[in-house]
Amino acid sequence: PLTNATRLYYTATGGTAGDLEANISYDVGMSNSKGYPVYKVAIDGDELTLDLYFRTTTSQIELLGVDGPVSVGDADIDYLRFGTPIKLIGAQSSKSTTATATIRSNGDDLSDTSITIDYGVANRNSTFNNATTTNSKTWKFPTLKSTLTADIKVVTSGLALAPFPIVLEFDFTKGLGMVQHSGNLSENSSADYEAKFDRLLDLPNIMTSVSYAFTMAESQDNLSSADYRVLNQSELNSLGWLTISQDANSNWVIAEINSGHEDYPTELTSYQVLFENKHSDARLSGNITIDP
C-alpha cells in the first residue's frame, strides 16, 4: 500500500533511530508516461539518500526505477529506469530487461551506453523485529521478503564493462508496505546499507490485539465514519473473531477480538484495513497485527 503525502520513518544501520525519513508521493510525470499510478518512496537522511519507484496492484509490487546516485563497484549509477518493470512478488529466474541510467565510472561520464540487467527474484516468508525505536516500542510483523539479484551490464562506445552485481532485499507487510530494505552493491559479505521501519506519519496507527479506536499517527485524531469508510469492513468481519464497527461517537473501532475463536490466528499475522475518505476518495492503509 502506498498513499500520497504520507511518511514512514526508518533507522539506518549504525544510524540514529528514526533518522531516515521516507516521503511517499504520487509521481505525476512517470504516472503520465506509464499510463498507471507510480509512487516514489524518497528516503532521505545522513546515512542514506535513495528514491525508489513502485507500482502496486492487489496482487503485485513492481520496481520501476532507482535514483541515487548509488555506488556500484567502480561506478556511480543514477536515474536508473527499467525498460520492463521488475515484479517483486513471485519467484523469477533468468529474466532480463533493458534499462537507462546516468553512469559515472572512474570519475568520467559514460555516453552512448547500452544497459542490460539480468536478474532473478526469490520470495520467502520472514519476520521483522525492531526494538530500537524512537517511541520505545518493539515492532514485530510478518513479512514477505523479496530478494532481487541482478547483474548490470553496460556497453559504452563498443566497450563492454565488467558486470555490476547487486542484491536488493525488500520486506513487505500487509497494510504497511515496505518495513525493511537493504542493498549489497559491492559483493561484500553483508549489506552496504539497510533501513528498518521505526514509525509512521499521516497514516492510521498500527493496531494490535489490545487496541481499540483507529487513530492517526502523531495527532491521535480519531478516524470518524463521518469522514472515512472502511472498504474491506465486511471482509475483515467475516474472519469471525474480529469485529470492526462504529462506536457511540461514530468513530471507527475494533469492537471485538475473540482470541478464543477457532479461527483466531495461531501465528504472527497482519491484516490491511483500507480506509477511504468520503470527501476526496483518497485512501489510507492501516495495519492490524496479531501476535498470539
Side-chain angles (χ1 to χ4, degrees):
L2 294 172
T3 304
N4 186 48
T6 57
R7 280 173 281 178
L8 298 175
Y9 289 86
Y10 298 89
T11 300
T13 301
T16 303
D19 198 43
L20 289 179
E21 180 177 327
N23 285 284
I24 301 171
S25 61
Y26 177 81
D27 193 278
V28 176
M30 193 178 293
S31 297
N32 288 341
S33 66
K34 293 292 187 181
Y36 49 73
V38 176
Y39 290 87
K40 178 172 73 172
V41 179
I43 302 173
D44 185 43
D46 292 338
E47 294 84 8
L48 179 66
T49 300
L50 189 69
D51 294 344
L52 302 169
Y53 294 85
F54 293 102
R55 178 194 185 192
T56 63
T57 68
T58 55
S59 59
Q60 187 56 255
I61 300 173
E62 297 177 350
L63 180 65
L64 283 75
V66 180
D67 291 347
V70 176
S71 295
V72 181
D74 295 327
D76 289 330
I77 299 177
D78 207 352
Y79 308 112
L80 179 63
R81 300 290 182 269
F82 307 118
T84 301
I86 295 177
K87 299 180 185 298
L88 297 176
I89 307 301
Q92 301 184 72
S93 61
S94 302
K95 304 292 287 187
S96 183
T97 181
T98 58
T100 59
T102 300
I103 302 177
R104 289 179 61 86
S105 181
N106 297 317
D108 297 322
D109 290 326
L110 301 184
S111 58
D112 300 322
T113 57
S114 173
I115 304 173
T116 303
I117 299 178
D118 297 332
Y119 68 92
V121 175
N123 289 173
R124 65 180 177 88
N125 294 325
S126 186
T127 299
F128 173 85
N129 196 331
N130 184 19
T132 57
T133 58
T134 54
N135 52 14
S136 301
K137 288 186 177 181
T138 297
W139 297 123
K140 189 176 181 181
F141 308 115
T143 67
L144 176 70
K145 182 182 290 291
S146 180
T147 302
L148 168 63
T149 304
D151 281 331
I152 302 176
K153 299 179 179 179
V154 179
V155 176
T156 176
S157 301
L159 175 65
L161 304 181
F164 303 120
I166 64 171
V167 179
L168 302 179
E169 286 195 337
F170 305 87
D171 282 74
F172 299 109
T173 292
K174 289 182 179 180
L176 277 178
M178 188 176 71
V179 295
Q180 187 167 334
H181 170 55
S182 65
N184 189 323
L185 312 174
S186 56
E187 296 185 285
N188 289 331
S189 58
S190 59
D192 293 299
Y193 70 85
E194 184 175 48
K196 293 185 176 183
F197 172 77
D198 183 84
R199 67 190 191 280
L200 42 75
L201 186 63
D202 304 318
L203 287 166
N205 276 311
I206 296 163
M207 306 291 280
T208 66
S209 57
V210 296
S211 302
Y212 175 67
F214 287 96
T215 56
M216 292 294 290
E218 300 291 332
S219 71
Q220 305 304 318
D221 292 339
N222 290 311
L223 276 84
S224 169
S225 61
D227 298 317
Y228 292 95
R229 59 177 66 90
V230 178
L231 295 181
N232 59 339
Q233 180 187 8
S234 296
E235 176 186 345
L236 292 169
N237 287 349
S238 69
L239 293 171
W241 53 268
L242 174 66
T243 303
I244 294 176
S245 61
Q246 303 164 34
D247 65 9
N249 296 316
S250 298
N251 295 319
W252 286 109
V253 299
I254 295 180
E256 180 185 26
I257 291 181
N258 182 2
S259 59
H261 193 279
E262 61 181 358
D263 294 326
Y264 184 76
T266 57
E267 59 185 23
L268 185 68
T269 308
S270 282
Y271 300 88
Q272 181 186 35
V273 185
L274 190 57
F275 294 92
E276 184 177 71
N277 190 297
K278 292 182 176 180
H279 312 293
S280 66
D281 294 332
R283 294 184 176 184
L284 292 175
S285 184
N287 169 280
I288 297 175
T289 293
I290 302 297
D291 187 10

